Each structure stands twice: as C-alpha cells, then as structure tokens.
Amino acid sequence: MKKKLLGIMMGATLAIILTACGGGNGDKNADEGASVNDAEAIVNKSCISCHGENLEGRNGPALDKIGATLDKEEILDVIENGRGAMPAGLIEGDEAVKVAEWLSEKK
C-alpha cells in the first residue's frame, strides 16, 4: 500500500514539474501574431466608436493610413496625451505601445 501511494505521489510530482517547465516553443512569430491580435482587440474595444470599424473615420479622424503621416512615437504621444477632442489616457501602458506600433504600420 505504501509503495503504491509513493508511486502515485511521485507520478503526480513529475507531471506537475513537466507541466510547469513545458510549453515554451520559442516561436517569435507566434508572439508577434498575438501582439497584433491584442492591438486589434484593444482598438476594437477602445477606438472604433470614434474612428470607425475600419478606422475610416467617424467622429474622430481616419486612422486607416495614419502610419504614412505619424510614426510610432508620435502616435503613442497622441494616445497618451490626447489631441483635439481625443482625451488623454484612453489606452495606457503596454497596450498603448502595442496600438501605436500597430497603427504606425497602417500606410
């Protein structure tokens, strides 16, 4: 009985260790894809009410080609500090950086 219990405990411990150590495939492209999806999701949640579902502009200016006019840092500045009728801080931190990078690629 003790051997059986010890075997079950060792098996469970091994399973926990392998689960904690596994899963990292090091695929950089998968991370980049997740970042793009995250940025799109953030924009869909926070920006489309003013900038339109396709970023074509509505109450706010069109952003569908904003990367041709502003670079990532300039876009980030607008997101963080606002401009015109857009209030500051609608998106903050890492999310703001992801959105600025994503929008800067819209040309």
Side-chain angles (χ1 to χ4, degrees):
M1 176 78 173
K2 287 184 182 183
K3 286 183 181 182
K4 191 173 186 180
L5 182 60
L6 181 62
I8 292 172
M9 289 178 56
M10 287 181 69
T13 302
L14 181 60
I16 291 170
I17 290 171
L18 291 176
T19 301
C21 293
N25 63 5
D27 188 357
K28 186 176 187 245
N29 291 333
D31 290 342
E32 288 174 4
S35 181
V36 168
N37 291 338
D38 290 347
E40 270 188 274
I42 296 163
V43 167
N44 286 335
K45 183 180 90 178
S46 303
C47 307
I48 63 170
S49 62
C50 292
H51 295 287
E53 288 184 31
N54 297 311
L55 303 177
E56 74 277 7
R58 191 178 283 165
N59 298 336
L63 300 178
D64 57 345
K65 295 182 178 137
I66 194 67
T69 307
L70 301 175
D71 66 22
K72 177 184 169 187
E73 297 306 318
E74 292 169 320
I75 295 170
L76 182 60
D77 180 63
V78 173
I79 292 170
E80 291 177 337
N81 300 309
R83 180 183 284 177
M86 181 176 159
L90 291 177
I91 307 170
E92 298 177 326
D94 188 43
E95 289 186 343
V97 172
K98 286 179 185 178
V99 169
E101 184 172 350
W102 185 72
L103 287 173
S104 71
E105 295 170 1
K106 303 278 182 204
K107 298 180 184 192

